[in-house]
Amino acid sequence: MKTSSVKLKSQLRHESEKCCLESCSNDDPEEEPPGKRSMSDDPEEEPPGKAAAIRYRFFGDIPDGVWNNWKWQFRNRVTRVEQLTQFIPLSAEEQAQLRLVTMRYPLAVTPYYLSLINPDDPDDPIRKQAIPSTVEMTMGSMGAEDPLDEKKDTVVPGLIHRYPDRVLLVLTDICPVLCRHCTRKREWRNGGWVRSPAEVEAMLAYISQHKAIRDVIISGGDPLTLSTPHLEYIISRIRGIKHVEIIRIGTRFPVVLPQRIDNELCSMLAKYGPIWLNTHFNHVREITPEAAAACDRLLRSGIPVNNQSVLLRGINDSVEAQTELCHGLLKIKVRPYYLFQCDEVQGTEHLRTPVEVGIKIIEGMRGHTSGLAIPTFVIDLPQGGGKVPLQPDYVLAQTEGELMLRNYEGRIFHYRNPAKPAYPELPAEMLCPASSATVSPPQENRVPVRVRRSSKCV
Ligand code: SF4
């Protein structure tokens, strides 16, 4: 294979952004700078598929051992437009414009996630999620900085208490990739922070004092940017609070840096279950062998993995794109959980779709694929109103005794609505007998009721 070389080392060894990896030192002898290959015109050198195009072209000489080291990936994130031009063709004018955009909305993308982009396709669905666009600024007046009004429900710094039984811990604003559609884009300008020990103690004290809290969601930024020991300290303290039943982790690492989901992390999480992990795949091309292996490691450690995707214009806003995504998720045993309407965040308007698009997508999936593959489409209401599910309307008319319904094919059915109970309610002891028996009905019911052993009873 013929290749020519370019020097990318200096561009990729950025240290400008604060890193929260306590053990993120630069002295690992295994670690090599990213590869020195340049873009080649030789058609023989094209990879078989579009995915991994950039790894093939630019990181081909990085040994797998280094490429799969998540700390190397994290440290070598592309954060400047000058670096980006090594991988993605950008005119001088585009570069100048993107520099302006990144002054307001910074850029960060891991070599791994970058490698999934087809650099020759300006409409690549992964590129649109990770690479800045001038429309972030030109449409930047639309929307709000904090549309969900999270500040209003912040009870101590980093702890949002909106619903009675749940709290959200925001431990850091650092993420491996800065997604262009992020709801917390407002945090990016703050330069990378991690909650101090005193702030964490205040959050833990609040949770301890509020016995209604049974569900703690650890989010960010991305909480898995913290080192595993740091994360273990916080998770173990939460698990020590008796009224907390479940812990949830919101993370995009399985998608943008799956190497982070290593055995050390999985073994640690396995100790503090039940822990549920919600991740964020938006396109089927993100479901790579590496991402599938990361989800598999989590599942084998007893951590269920759900997916919360965001509906994004030009990325996944069709029935086909969502069906492919959800089928791909089921194949790796990840449950499609939510499809979010993209929040009204400043700098994301170009990625938002009309609400009808989401409803049409759900309608186009219902009946054509398993219900297991269909996420719940939700709007997270502004001003902290919470999530509202939206469904196609299948009820055409309703009277007291009947509903007129349409099915997924548009055929119309009449359904008798049993508005009043057919029988008086049975006493509880009759609902789960030791064996089949004929029991006496209440006096007013003259029809003998045959009660069978139910599979739910055994
Ligand atoms: S990983 Fe989540 S929190 Fe981080 S930038 Fe992406 S959407 Fe925002």
Side-chain angles (χ1 to χ4, degrees), residues 183-194:
T183 296
R184 304 204 177 101
K185 228 166 162 169
R186 65 183 184 278
E187 301 282 0
W188 296 357
R189 290 197 296 276
N190 298 332
W193 49 260
V194 178

Side-chain angles (χ1 to χ4, degrees), residues 202-258:
M203 290 192 262
L204 293 169
Y206 182 93
I207 298 169
S208 298
Q209 288 154 14
H210 292 78
K211 301 222 175 329
I213 297 170
R214 44 166 287 284
D215 183 353
V216 174
I217 303 157
I218 304 174
S219 185
D222 201 311
L224 298 192
T225 53
L226 270 60
S227 71
T228 300
H230 189 166
L231 206 53
E232 177 165 16
Y233 173 77
I234 296 169
I235 290 176
S236 66
R237 292 285 308 278
I238 296 170
R239 181 47 71 219
I241 300 171
K242 290 218 164 26
H243 53 268
V244 174
E245 295 171 6
I246 63 167
I247 297 171
R248 285 191 275 171
I249 295 176
T251 174
R252 216 179 174 203
F253 266 96
V255 184
V256 298
L257 182 39

